[in-house]
Amino acid sequence: MRVPPVAGPRLTVLAGPTAVGKGTVSAYLRQHYPKVWLSVSVTTRAPRPGEVDGLHYHFISDAEFDELVAGDELLEWATVHQRARYGTPRRPVERALAQGHAALLEIDLQGARQVRRSMPDALFVFLAPPSWDELVRRLLGRGTEDAEERARRLATAREELAAEPEFDITIVNDSVERACAELVAHLGLAAAGPDLSDC
Ligand code: 5GP
């Protein structure tokens, strides 16, 4: 296991199987750990009820996404669940790190692999479910996808679970508070002094 020492603010990549609760972890961090700078991804999927453009995602068109890719504006991007495209705008991440913030990307496995290649010094964290049964329960319990979509996501989840050894550390999402506390302990927040309002 390769765990870089915590020398100050750094980039952390959080990935894990679908429905493991990455979004819940992000939301909890946003609310309870305001010193953590969270990347806001672009996506071509439609907003779900309650999602706010610019806060949860930047919801953009296919043409806009193509432009960002062509302009090399994305640090990584991927087509997720064979449906929509998601990507991390490069410049805000570079700016946050340059300003000394602990920055976190919550992305899928394909994206994590791309960041591993371009920013190998980042910390790669795998968010794991307490068990496979619990993951299935969370996936079906959410009730926001149809049967075909759920089957597609389960297939993706199996592949994603097998990728755990590629990551530096694993955090089990048994409770969001506990998982976030463990994650934050790894983020390099100690030296992350500046206020996020200047970011
Ligand atoms: P959802 O549509 O449920 O919000 O997210 C679906 C998947 O897309 C999740 O696994 C999430 O981690 C992933 N995702 C969100 N933003 C990005 C991104 O910027 N890049 C990549 N590669 N995946 C992302």
Side-chain angles (χ1 to χ4, degrees), residues 45-115:
R45 83 152 162 77
R48 295 192 186 112
E51 284 184 330
V52 176
D53 187 38
L55 177 66
H56 299 99
Y57 285 104
H58 299 287
F59 296 97
I60 64 173
S61 67
D62 269 310
E64 288 169 322
F65 200 101
D66 286 342
E67 268 178 41
L68 293 178
V69 172
D72 196 26
E73 299 280 349
L74 299 180
L75 183 61
E76 59 74 36
W77 68 271
T79 302
V80 181
H81 307 310
Q82 299 159 32
R83 276 270 168 93
R85 286 184 292 172
Y86 298 78
T88 303
R90 180 193 302 280
R91 271 186 257 178
V93 174
E94 291 173 348
R95 201 163 47 231
L97 290 172
Q99 291 178 348
H101 299 297
L104 183 71
L105 312 184
E106 184 258 284
I107 59 178
D108 89 321
L109 178 63
Q110 308 167 75
R113 286 178 173 142
Q114 291 171 44
V115 180

Side-chain angles (χ1 to χ4, degrees), residues 24-190:
T24 313
V25 165
S26 297
Y28 190 89
L29 285 172
R30 197 177 288 121
Q31 201 180 347
H32 296 274
Y33 295 93
K35 279 201 166 184
V36 178
W37 184 88
L38 276 170
S39 168
V40 180
S41 299
V42 291
T43 181
T44 59
R45 83 152 162 77
R48 295 192 186 112
E51 284 184 330
V52 176
D53 187 38
L55 177 66
H56 299 99
Y57 285 104
H58 299 287
F59 296 97
I60 64 173
S61 67
D62 269 310
E64 288 169 322
F65 200 101
D66 286 342
E67 268 178 41
L68 293 178
V69 172
D72 196 26
E73 299 280 349
L74 299 180
L75 183 61
E76 59 74 36
W77 68 271
T79 302
V80 181
H81 307 310
Q82 299 159 32
R83 276 270 168 93
R85 286 184 292 172
Y86 298 78
T88 303
R90 180 193 302 280
R91 271 186 257 178
V93 174
E94 291 173 348
R95 201 163 47 231
L97 290 172
Q99 291 178 348
H101 299 297
L104 183 71
L105 312 184
E106 184 258 284
I107 59 178
D108 89 321
L109 178 63
Q110 308 167 75
R113 286 178 173 142
Q114 291 171 44
V115 180
R116 171 75 98 183
R117 285 195 289 275
S118 59
M119 302 178 85
D121 289 339
L123 179 71
F124 292 83
V125 179
F126 189 82
L127 192 67
S131 66
W132 172 256
D133 286 351
E134 176 60 19
L135 182 65
V136 173
R137 201 186 61 76
R138 287 180 193 177
L139 186 66
L140 305 187
R142 192 159 66 182
T144 48
E145 295 85 22
D146 61 21
E148 190 190 337
E149 178 65 14
R150 286 201 301 269
R152 204 189 340 253
R153 287 186 174 213
L154 272 181
T156 306
R158 277 189 204 283
E159 279 173 33
E160 288 174 335
L161 272 182
E164 182 183 345
E166 296 173 31
F167 286 74
D168 298 316
I169 59 170
T170 293
I171 293 178
V172 176
N173 190 17
D174 43 10
S175 103
V176 68
E177 294 88 348
R178 199 209 59 74
C180 284
E182 190 179 343
L183 177 61
V184 167
H186 288 283
L187 289 182
L189 275 177

